[in-house]
Amino acid sequence: MRKIQTNLIYSATIDGDTIDAFNKKCDGKPNTLTIIKTGNDKIIGGFLKKPLYVKENFYDPDCFLFSLKAEEKYEVDSNGEYKNLSFFGTGSSSAIIDFGAGSSIHIVNNCLNTESNYYCGRNGTFKFPNHRITNGDIHFRVIEFEVYQIVEFN
């Protein structure tokens, strides 16, 4: 039987909610699970199997987004307009992390200190109805933003 362990590698409230803090903790780490608690009481996030490189755009066929409140998982849309871009590296812009072209989940620099600058838009990368991941809320405030690395062991 496969055993896994989750290791917290980044927390915006502990490590800082900046691009630099995120890069120092997360760059080059594979098997990452991002969990975001929003101000409107939603818990959303995403998984990347490939190593996370914040300044690169890449396709990860194992990438998915999720909403715990909606109890749904959103996989890469193989017929979508941007199906080959599951992670949009934004380390040189104002965003810390961007899942999907068109910002399916888009977290900006200083995410804990800015009201309503976080949005979850619909695009052609993942399979979900318009803004379904946040139940129609386009903008949301981040309460906590954490990244865990999933490690397998015997």
Side-chain angles (χ1 to χ4, degrees), residues 27-77:
D27 251 18
K29 305 279 196 237
N31 300 315
T32 55
L33 179 68
T34 299
I35 300 175
I36 302 156
K37 182 177 181 184
T38 71
N40 50 8
D41 203 32
K42 309 274 190 305
I43 298 176
I44 60 174
F47 172 77
L48 288 169
K49 187 171 186 175
K50 288 188 173 185
L52 186 105
Y53 290 104
V54 179
K55 294 186 179 181
E56 292 181 14
N57 304 338
F58 59 85
Y59 170 66
D60 183 346
D62 296 308
C63 180
F64 63 85
L65 303 181
F66 62 87
S67 169
L68 292 184
K69 198 86 163 175
E71 297 182 0
E72 292 183 333
K73 174 182 168 184
Y74 312 100
E75 296 178 339
V76 173
D77 185 351

Side-chain angles (χ1 to χ4, degrees), residues 12-13 16-17 108 110-114 118 141-145:
T13 57
D17 61 345
V108 300
N110 299 309
C111 63
L112 302 175
N113 302 310
T114 306
Y118 320 101
R141 185 171 54 95
V142 172
I143 301 298
E144 180 58 281
F145 167 33

Side-chain angles (χ1 to χ4, degrees), residues 9-10 15-29 52-56 87 89-93 95-97 109 145 147:
I9 58 174
Y10 170 78
D15 301 309
D17 61 345
T18 66
I19 293 168
D20 288 341
F22 182 83
N23 288 353
K24 285 177 188 170
K25 296 284 188 163
C26 298
D27 251 18
K29 305 279 196 237
L52 186 105
Y53 290 104
V54 179
K55 294 186 179 181
E56 292 181 14
F87 181 78
T90 57
S92 61
S93 73
I96 296 175
I97 195 168
N109 199 33
F145 167 33
V147 179

Side-chain angles (χ1 to χ4, degrees), residues 108-133:
V108 300
N109 199 33
N110 299 309
C111 63
L112 302 175
N113 302 310
T114 306
E115 294 287 327
S116 301
N117 274 339
Y118 320 101
Y119 59 93
C120 187
R122 181 175 176 265
N123 69 34
T125 303
F126 297 95
K127 297 177 189 175
F128 57 82
N130 196 15
H131 308 301
R132 175 110 181 231
I133 195 167

Side-chain angles (χ1 to χ4, degrees), residues 91-108:
S92 61
S93 73
S94 64
I96 296 175
I97 195 168
D98 220 342
F99 282 96
S103 303
S104 295
I105 295 181
H106 178 86
I107 306 298
V108 300

